[in-house]
Amino acid sequence: MLIQEPVQAAIWDALNNYAVTDATFLAERLFSEVANDESLYLLATCYYRAGKPVQSYLLLQSRGCHTAQCKYLLAKCCFDTDRLSEAEELLVGNAVSKSKTFEEIEVEYGPVACHVFSLLGNLYSKTERFSHASECYQKSLKLNPLLWSSFAKLCSLVRENNKSQSKSRFTSPKSGTRKSKSKLSKSQQEMNEINKGENILDCKQSCGYDGPNYSQLAHMRQQSLAGILKLLQSMGRAFQALTQYECKRAIELLSELPQHQYQTGWVLCQVARAYFELNNYIQAEKVFAELRELEPYHMEGMDLYSTALWQLQREVELSALAQELTEMNKNAPEKEHDTAIKFFQRAIQVDPNFAYAYTLLGHEYVFTEEFEKGLSSFRNSIRVDSRHYNAWYGVGMIYYKQEKFQLAELHFNKALMINPKSPALLCHVGVVSVALVSCTHYAKCCHFDF
């Protein structure tokens, strides 16, 4: 008979030190001895962290989920394995059983409610219920303003008719700690408690701090939370500007960050992306090169970096980058179109939600003049991310090559609505407009209806 507590501690120690195999082995032994909700959650967590969401799903489903932790993990497994309706039913109920309100979800899941709402936002986004997704992301941020992914995804939902809903979701330090009656995350609750005199007295007695030292600690914690909120607010404004393709504004805001934050991979990647979207490939290449020197392990944005090098016809640098990335990632594409198509297809198999991979695959098909396959790839990209303007442009380009100018204009304009400041898109809209005028004039001369 195993005693549960020390074995649990050993399992968490293994997980915290990346010994997932050892953690899983111990968790299986514990669960066979003590099959309760705690050991079930621990074993399912081991499977999930080992990259086996299906195994975790089957375990939780077969045993039943009686705790909020298990239900949340099962919902994550459902989402990861595309069982979206099942995930939604787990978290909010269905039409038969009364759907839960936000307040009921918050009460049921307690400290992890912010993550539950973030997961619901992802689910609603994937099923194209964008207004629901926006509400969930906002609720997630209200409970925990430090969840950057919720803010980033909220920005990606911005449309012309709902920009106001997603403005400044990162609150300032003052509003983040003022006397709001809404339930906050655990860390914020602690900060509010620290600001109350009676709790300071209780903690002094129980924790052994004398007055001045504990007050100093409370002040430091308050300053730390205020500081991170201020930083995220600044970065959030810049990121929001970038998602709305206000690229010059994004660059200005990012340049105002402290130097030690600016000189990080994530920030430099956003700066380079902004220059890339402005078609300033020279400056984008410079920033990406700086990023590679600073953080050679940083993978985000390398698709844009390689495209910038290709646009600048820097074949030597592009070849070197391809070789470096191939060593890090065996799925990197090669130069030849047939080989590139094979590797883009492989990339899509690895990550079916990688919109840019579909777009690049579509462009490869355009090069090989396989237009129907190109259209299918671009449409898949749009299905994954309806704001991926490159895919809308790709569809327009195929229709333009097929001399279907009205359809080309429709798709170019759709891309332009997403990125209204793109010189390349403005140019293509102008070209197709001229083509339409010419065709209309020719049709009138020939007495045809166009």
Side-chain angles (χ1 to χ4, degrees):
M1 178 74 179
L2 294 176
I3 300 176
Q4 188 169 354
E5 286 75 12
V7 180
Q8 282 181 324
I11 294 168
W12 283 115
D13 179 71
L15 287 174
N16 292 335
N17 289 284
Y18 319 110
V20 180
T21 301
D22 294 324
T24 303
F25 180 80
L26 285 175
E28 288 174 341
R29 308 285 72 73
L30 177 62
F31 187 68
S32 66
E33 292 279 345
V34 186
N36 58 21
D37 290 332
E38 287 183 70
S39 61
L40 172 66
Y41 173 72
L42 196 50
L43 179 56
T45 298
C46 289
Y47 288 149
Y48 188 84
R49 291 199 188 181
K52 301 175 181 177
V54 174
Q55 198 167 344
S56 182
Y57 165 81
L58 292 172
L59 171 67
L60 291 168
Q61 187 192 51
S62 64
R63 297 289 178 167
C65 294
H66 307 294
T67 65
Q69 281 184 318
C70 286
K71 287 178 67 176
Y72 172 62
L73 179 54
L74 179 57
K76 278 191 69 68
C77 293
C78 289
F79 182 83
D80 291 351
T81 55
D82 281 330
R83 296 174 170 89
L84 302 183
S85 59
E86 191 173 344
E88 183 177 0
E89 185 175 345
L90 274 166
L91 297 176
V92 299
N94 55 32
V96 178
S97 62
K98 181 184 175 183
S99 297
K100 299 171 188 173
T101 64
F102 276 12
E103 289 73 20
E104 289 171 334
I105 294 172
E106 187 179 345
V107 170
E108 179 178 0
Y109 288 95
V112 299
C114 57
H115 302 289
V116 171
F117 285 113
S118 181
L119 178 59
L120 279 170
N122 296 342
L123 191 153
Y124 288 134
S125 293
K126 201 166 185 179
T127 53
E128 298 186 1
R129 288 173 285 175
F130 299 119
S131 61
H132 289 333
S134 177
E135 291 172 1
C136 288
Y137 288 138
Q138 290 181 59
K139 182 65 175 177
S140 173
L141 287 168
K142 186 176 181 181
L143 293 172
N144 185 351
L146 303 182
L147 287 183
W148 176 262
S149 62
S150 290
F151 177 77
K153 289 167 183 174
L154 183 59
C155 286
S156 72
L157 293 177
V158 173
R159 298 290 184 274
E160 293 300 320
N161 63 344
N162 69 353
K163 284 184 179 179
S164 62
Q165 292 182 0
S166 61
K167 284 188 177 179
S168 303
R169 295 310 305 169
F170 279 114
T171 57
S172 65
K174 288 184 179 180
S175 62
T177 56
R178 64 188 179 189
K179 52 181 182 180
S180 171
K181 295 298 182 181
S182 62
K183 292 189 178 179
L184 304 175
S185 66
K186 185 177 181 181
S187 61
Q188 286 180 290
Q189 288 175 342
E190 290 173 352
M191 285 305 303
N192 287 341
E193 289 172 0
I194 286 171
N195 292 328
K196 296 178 182 178
E198 61 271 20
N199 288 331
I200 289 178
L201 180 60
D202 292 338
C203 289
K204 283 193 296 183
Q205 295 171 347
S206 61
C207 299
Y209 286 109
D210 58 20
N213 288 339
Y214 187 81
S215 298
Q216 187 178 28
L217 175 63
H219 181 65
M220 289 172 62
R221 292 184 67 184
Q222 188 173 15
Q223 281 188 322
S224 177
L225 181 58
I228 189 64
L229 284 171
K230 184 177 180 181
L231 174 63
L232 292 180
Q233 184 185 44
S234 300
M235 297 176 76
R237 287 171 180 161
F239 186 80
Q240 185 179 34
L242 186 55
T243 58
Q244 295 174 5
Y245 297 100
E246 297 175 6
C247 298
K248 292 182 179 179
R249 173 68 174 157
I251 293 169
E252 290 174 3
L253 291 170
L254 289 168
S255 66
E256 294 173 1
L257 292 172
Q259 187 66 15
H260 65 278
Q261 287 289 342
Y262 185 86
Q263 290 294 326
T264 58
W266 187 90
V267 174
L268 289 174
C269 183
Q270 308 314 308
V271 173
R273 177 186 163 194
Y275 282 120
F276 181 90
E277 298 294 356
L278 290 169
N279 289 351
N280 188 344
Y281 300 120
I282 293 176
Q283 195 61 35
E285 187 274 331
K286 287 181 180 178
V287 179
F288 274 128
E290 183 181 358
L291 164 59
R292 290 288 295 164
E293 185 175 352
L294 180 69
E295 296 183 9
Y297 50 83
H298 190 99
M299 297 295 290
E300 181 188 356
M302 292 301 100
D303 47 357
L304 301 182
Y305 185 20
S306 61
T307 304
L309 289 172
W310 182 83
Q311 291 283 357
L312 296 171
Q313 297 183 354
R314 304 272 183 86
E315 294 185 5
V316 175
E317 292 89 340
L318 182 57
S319 177
L321 177 65
Q323 186 173 357
E324 291 172 9
L325 295 180
T326 300
E327 292 176 359
M328 298 172 64
N329 177 10
K330 299 302 181 182
N331 295 322
E334 297 180 12
K335 185 175 179 181
E336 295 80 4
H337 295 306
D338 290 341
T339 308
I341 287 172
K342 180 179 70 175
F343 279 107
F344 285 134
Q345 289 172 335
R346 174 60 181 150
I348 290 166
Q349 286 179 337
V350 172
D351 184 1
N353 294 316
F354 187 16
Y356 200 49
Y358 288 108
T359 298
L360 292 175
L361 177 61
H363 285 304
E364 292 298 331
Y365 282 132
V366 171
F367 277 119
T368 57
E369 297 188 352
E370 297 176 84
F371 294 141
E372 289 304 316
K373 290 183 178 179
L375 282 173
S376 176
S377 297
F378 289 132
R379 286 166 179 160
N380 276 325
S381 179
I382 293 167
R383 174 182 55 80
V384 172
D385 181 4
S386 60
R387 283 184 58 78
H388 194 61
Y389 77 90
N390 311 74
W392 290 102
Y393 161 78
V395 176
M397 202 66 212
I398 288 177
Y399 283 134
Y400 181 80
K401 287 177 177 290
Q402 294 176 333
E403 298 186 1
K404 298 177 181 178
F405 298 124
Q406 288 180 323
L407 288 173
E409 182 184 41
L410 175 69
H411 287 82
F412 284 149
N413 280 325
K414 182 65 177 180
L416 195 63
M417 286 174 61
I418 299 169
N419 186 0
K421 297 181 181 179
S422 169
L425 289 176
L426 288 167
C427 178
H428 279 89
V429 169
V431 169
V432 78
S433 297
V434 170
L436 276 171
V437 170
S438 299
C439 288
T440 303
H441 178 71
Y442 177 78
K444 287 181 179 178
C445 291
C446 297
H447 306 291
F448 293 143
D449 291 331
F450 183 76

